[in-house]
Structures are given as structure tokens and as C-alpha cells.
């Protein structure tokens, strides 16, 4: 599975962005998807995850109530809608796929993911 993240950019605090993660390749396999973010000198941190069916999701406390993760399996794409953005949301955002045999939310441990996208920069100005 190859992943392509897009949709990043520069936005003012309080604004919104919508990230996309498009999958290609062996997309017939069932995979959960997680979004992570990373800033220089810090560990890559979990942001949100969604199960294969889209019926379950999970958020980091720092984004709960502001970010929404969804997916469209017909288009092999996962979205991260980010509202009420804050300067501390500034980071490179990565999507990742975790191959799972059951329909559950993905683990927040980045080492459990099988495939990663290349990252998209999100910058929130104050």
C-alpha cells in the first residue's frame, strides 16, 4: 500500500484545513489508518485513527473536539478535518496504515504501522 498525504498549508489561528490521505496499490487489504504529526526535535505523536469500516475512531486529547477523521473506501481516501487550529498544531502531518484482520481502531503506537505517507506541512500562525 502506498500513501499520499496532501492538503497542508499556512492558516491563521482559528482557521481550518482538510488533509487527505490517498491509498494506492494493494488496497484490497483491510487497513486502519492513523494520522500522526511531528515537529523538529520531538517524537512523532498520534493525532487520530479510524477503523477499516470507518465506524470507530480515536483522537488524542489535544485535538479532541477540533479534528475529525473520516474515510471513503470507495475512493481509498482518509480525511482529517482540522478546525479551530492553534499555533501548537503546527507540524508535519503523516498518515499511516495498519493492516488489521478485524475492524477496530488502529493502535496509537507508530511502530505498529505498516505503511507511511510522505507527510504534509501544516503551519498555523498566531
Amino acid at each position: 500500500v502506498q500513501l499520499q498525504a496532501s492538503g497542508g498549508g499556512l492558516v491563521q489561528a482559528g482557521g481550518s484545513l482538510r488533509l487527505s490521505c490517498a491509498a494506492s496499490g494493494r488496497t484490497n487489504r483491510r487497513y486502519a489508518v492513523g494520522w500522526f504529526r511531528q515537529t523538529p526535535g520531538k517524537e512523532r505523536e498520534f493525532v487520530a485513527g479510524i477503523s477499516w469500516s470507518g465506524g470507530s475512531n480515536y483522537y488524542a486529547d489535544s485535538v479532541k473536539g477540533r479534528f475529525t477523521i473520516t474515510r471513503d473506501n470507495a475512493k481509498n481516501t482518509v480525511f482529517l478535518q482540522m478546525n479551530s487550529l492553534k499555533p501548537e498544531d503546527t507540524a508535519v502531518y503523516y498518515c499511516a496504515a495498519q493492516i488489521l484482520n478485524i475492524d477496530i481502531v488502529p493502535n496509537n503506537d507508530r511502530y505498529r504501522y505498516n505503511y507511511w505517507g510522505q507527510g504534509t506541512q501544516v503551519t498555523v500562525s498566531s
Side-chain angles (χ1 to χ4, degrees):
V1 176
Q2 291 81 47
L3 302 174
Q4 179 76 34
S6 62
L10 173 64
V11 64
Q12 288 189 330
S16 298
L17 281 174
R18 188 193 198 200
L19 305 184
S20 298
C21 176
S24 60
R26 295 186 64 184
T27 56
N28 59 319
R29 302 184 71 180
R30 295 194 171 194
Y31 56 95
V33 172
W35 282 98
F36 290 76
R37 65 187 181 188
Q38 189 171 22
T39 54
K42 291 190 175 182
E43 296 275 322
R44 190 170 296 187
E45 66 172 356
F46 176 83
V47 174
I50 190 166
S51 63
W52 161 249
S53 69
S56 300
N57 50 45
Y58 171 52
Y59 299 93
D61 288 342
S62 58
V63 306
K64 201 172 293 183
R66 300 187 298 122
F67 291 10
T68 303
I69 187 170
T70 57
R71 67 189 297 162
D72 183 345
N73 285 343
K75 298 181 179 179
N76 296 319
T77 304
V78 173
F79 305 98
L80 184 68
Q81 178 67 43
M82 305 187 296
N83 298 329
S84 303
L85 283 162
K86 304 175 181 180
E88 51 264 43
D89 294 318
T90 295
V92 177
Y93 283 70
Y94 299 88
C95 61
Q98 186 175 118
I99 305 300
L100 293 171
N101 294 321
I102 53 177
D103 188 26
I104 59 173
V105 291
N107 198 288
N108 61 3
D109 180 351
R110 66 185 187 273
Y111 296 108
R112 293 181 176 266
Y113 285 76
N114 306 100
Y115 305 97
W116 288 85
Q118 85 290 2
T120 183
Q121 175 71 47
V122 171
T123 303
V124 184
S125 63
S126 57

